[in-house]
Amino acid sequence: MLRTWIGLILFMFFLIEGTIIQWLPLTWDERLQVTPHFTFILILYTCFYVQRSFAIILAFSIGFFYDLIYYNQLFGLYAFSIGFTVYLISYMIKRSYLGFFIITLVVMLSLILLDSTIYGIYYLFKLTDESYIWVLSHQLLPSLYVNLIFSMMIYLPFRSFVVRISFKQKG
């Protein structure tokens, strides 16, 4: 039951990222580009609070949907990048007690790793000629700011949702 609810929530946020987010004023300057990774953040929370293997499957699946819906020059880029990042983070983090600040730090590092992986693959295949410093200052940091605000806002509701659903299943 919990997995079904999480799958529906992730699909809803996947749709929100592609539709509603386009109308929000997330640009402060024409040169700055903000990329929301709300679904990715929820997958990370699923990894921390539900189950690692389920989160890794979700990561590859949602990444595949990104590749299908938001076509780019490399098919499979998001499936690989999101799946790789969640896999790497899931085995680096111990699931004992993850407090708010540790989770925020891990989410921040995961977002940097995800965007850097995507940039690195684009750079490897010569699909971008921008320097990493430019991408860092004009895309990665503004996106990181917006995504961290979302991460902090959704932390407590997601955690309490998982605890409540898990408690209902056991009791």
Side-chain angles (χ1 to χ4, degrees):
M1 171 110 171
L2 178 63
R3 292 180 180 193
T4 305
W5 277 108
I6 289 176
L8 289 172
I9 291 170
L10 284 174
F11 185 70
M12 181 185 71
F13 273 93
F14 175 75
L15 293 176
I16 287 171
E17 279 183 26
T19 55
I20 296 173
I21 296 299
Q22 303 301 324
W23 295 326
L24 294 178
L26 294 178
T27 56
W28 299 275
D29 188 4
E30 302 85 51
R31 297 172 296 170
L32 299 179
Q33 180 182 358
V34 175
T35 307
H37 292 301
F38 301 156
T39 310
F40 174 71
I41 293 168
L42 290 172
I43 291 172
L44 285 174
Y45 284 167
T46 303
C47 176
F48 300 145
Y49 292 114
V50 180
Q51 188 180 22
R52 290 178 185 181
S53 59
F54 178 60
I56 292 169
I57 291 169
L58 282 175
F60 281 109
S61 302
I62 294 292
F64 180 71
F65 282 130
Y66 272 109
D67 289 327
L68 281 177
I69 304 299
Y70 310 114
Y71 175 76
N72 55 21
Q73 289 104 349
L74 294 174
F75 187 76
L77 173 68
Y78 282 93
F80 170 75
S81 299
I82 293 173
F84 171 73
T85 304
V86 170
Y87 176 80
L88 190 66
I89 294 299
S90 71
Y91 283 100
M92 290 176 58
I93 300 301
K94 301 293 181 205
R95 289 177 50 167
S96 56
Y97 176 74
L98 297 173
F100 176 75
F101 293 111
I102 298 295
I103 293 240
T104 303
L105 180 67
V106 170
V107 166
M108 182 180 73
L109 294 174
S110 301
L111 288 165
I112 292 170
L113 178 63
L114 175 67
D115 285 337
S116 297
T117 303
I118 291 169
Y119 169 78
I121 292 172
Y122 272 128
Y123 190 77
L124 177 70
F125 289 107
K126 309 261 187 263
L127 296 173
T128 185
D129 56 352
E130 304 294 341
S131 70
Y132 185 72
I133 300 299
W134 188 89
V135 170
L136 183 71
S137 63
H138 289 85
Q139 293 176 354
L140 202 140
L141 291 177
S143 297
L144 184 65
Y145 176 72
V146 170
N147 288 314
L148 280 179
I149 289 172
F150 172 78
S151 171
M152 290 183 230
M153 287 175 28
I154 202 76
Y155 169 75
L156 196 57
F158 186 85
R159 192 183 76 177
S160 63
F161 170 75
V162 168
V163 168
R164 188 172 7 120
I165 296 294
S166 297
F167 184 71
K168 285 181 181 179
Q169 283 180 347
K170 291 179 184 177

